[in-house]
Amino acid sequence: MGQIVGSAIVSHHPGLMQCEEFRRLQGAGEDSDLIAGYARLRERIAAAKPDVIMIFDSHWFTTGYHLVDGGARYSGTYISDEMPWYLHGVPFAYRGHPKLARALETASRARQGYVRVIDHPDLGRHYATVNLVKHLRLELDDIPVVTVSSCQNCRWEQFLQSGEDIGEGIRASGLRVLLLASGALSHKFNGIDWKPNHPRIFHENNVSSPENIESDKGAIALMAEGRHDLILERWDAEYRRKPWEAFGAHYLQMLGAMGGADCRAKGEALSAYENARGTGNIHVWFPA
């Protein structure tokens, strides 16, 4: 029987793809702790020995279905249409895992769900996947990667449901799968004319508002206690209204695969909580 061998919320923000020298200029001499956090996460991944990495991509927006990329291999050179002045010319070449992708669709169809496989040679990549592939050195370790979309016409409960379908598919696959929810928590950008509140750009005081900082930290504390049920109880009143990146699709789908409200996996912070143009970012690891 297949199993989930670990999970994590992981930041992918574009500033982390800039050179260390420039990051330290932005950090008043210090690098982002999210960079060191990637190294800590790599250690957890190596120890978990997954057959496949699954990335819930908060930038791959789809309509009508939760899509899973089912290609055997992905390669190309990435340029961001959002920030092409520095996120460009990024080569990538990594394996997919068609067998796992098909197992997810089969499980979802059996449950009358909406998870479907797409396998097309021209299907584009998004930096919520590419940045993790690069920082976690998944190409070098030759670990297959399967990406799942964020279906934009869903209620939050339907993200949980798609995660449950995915969990069933993983169990049926016979594979060891590690889940990465690629995205931020609160996701409100500072204005174009924004002036930093702290000289270190990555510092949490530069997150969009004190209320968002308080809310993000409250969620991180609940994750540390394994109280995902309480996060779900507050979703409509708090986290949906902030809102989280992709309305929390990446976290909710990951959580659904892990057991939803019954999940008690305790989150270990692998980085500091940091700002990225107003958004709240952190790496949090959940053991199997």
Side-chain angles (χ1 to χ4, degrees):
M1 177 178 285
Q3 61 180 310
I4 294 169
V5 296
S7 309
I9 295 174
V10 191
S11 174
H12 61 240
H13 80 76
L16 301 174
M17 295 295 283
Q18 297 179 101
C19 68
E20 181 179 349
E21 180 182 8
F22 190 77
R23 293 196 310 263
R24 288 187 179 276
L25 283 174
Q26 290 189 312
E30 295 182 50
D31 202 351
S32 166
D33 192 54
L34 293 166
I35 296 295
Y38 283 128
R40 299 172 192 127
L41 179 54
R42 288 197 301 269
E43 292 176 357
R44 303 303 191 283
I45 292 172
K49 295 181 172 58
D51 298 315
V52 189
I53 301 286
M54 181 175 294
I55 297 178
F56 296 98
D57 187 315
S58 57
H59 279 237
W60 183 17
F61 287 110
T62 53
T63 307
Y65 290 110
H66 309 277
L67 292 184
V68 181
D69 57 14
R73 181 167 293 277
Y74 297 93
S75 63
T77 302
Y78 180 76
I79 180 171
S80 166
D81 56 0
E82 180 184 356
M83 298 176 182
W85 57 93
Y86 70 82
L87 187 50
H88 63 85
V90 181
F92 61 88
Y94 61 90
R95 289 192 292 143
H97 203 294
K99 175 187 173 184
L100 176 60
R102 290 193 298 270
L104 303 187
E105 177 172 337
T106 298
S108 184
R109 285 184 180 275
R111 296 161 56 89
Q112 290 75 54
Y114 297 91
V115 176
R116 299 291 186 269
V117 173
I118 182 71
D119 177 8
H120 195 287
D122 296 328
L123 184 66
R125 302 290 82 192
H126 298 270
Y127 69 72
T129 290
V130 172
N131 291 6
L132 298 196
V133 167
K134 305 306 288 189
H135 277 296
L136 297 176
R137 302 176 186 173
L138 303 181
E139 296 164 303
L140 296 177
D141 294 335
D142 197 30
I143 301 177
V145 175
V146 170
T147 297
V148 179
S149 78
S150 299
C151 183
Q152 61 187 339
N153 57 322
C154 289
R155 299 186 304 275
W156 67 265
E157 301 95 334
Q158 292 168 319
F159 288 124
L160 276 179
Q161 181 62 57
S162 73
E164 291 177 14
D165 293 352
I166 286 167
E168 285 294 317
I170 289 171
R171 284 186 283 276
S173 73
L175 296 164
R176 296 170 57 82
V177 182
L178 191 140
L179 310 178
L180 300 178
S182 179
L185 302 186
S186 64
H187 199 253
K188 178 176 173 56
F189 291 115
N190 290 324
I192 195 169
D193 58 350
W194 166 71
K195 299 295 187 290
N197 298 316
H198 190 282
R200 189 167 174 267
I201 298 299
F202 300 126
H203 195 277
E204 67 180 51
N205 285 355
N206 289 323
V207 170
S208 56
S209 72
E211 293 78 16
N212 283 355
I213 295 171
E214 181 181 9
S215 177
D216 286 351
K217 287 190 169 184
I220 293 165
L222 289 173
M223 291 175 192
E225 297 171 5
R227 295 308 305 268
H228 303 276
D229 56 326
L230 297 182
I231 293 176
L232 296 180
E233 284 180 14
R234 301 176 189 179
W235 198 268
D236 278 328
E238 184 170 354
Y239 307 116
R240 173 64 179 81
R241 295 178 181 277
K242 292 305 175 184
W244 283 16
E245 185 163 13
F247 303 111
H250 54 311
Y251 166 73
L252 292 168
Q253 289 177 293
M254 179 187 74
L255 181 62
M258 295 163 61
D262 294 330
C263 176
R264 289 294 180 271
K266 294 184 177 180
E268 175 191 0
L270 296 185
S271 75
Y273 169 73
E274 292 189 355
N275 162 70
R277 197 54 163 171
T279 68
N281 291 260
I282 191 170
H283 304 322
V284 182
W285 169 256
F286 303 98

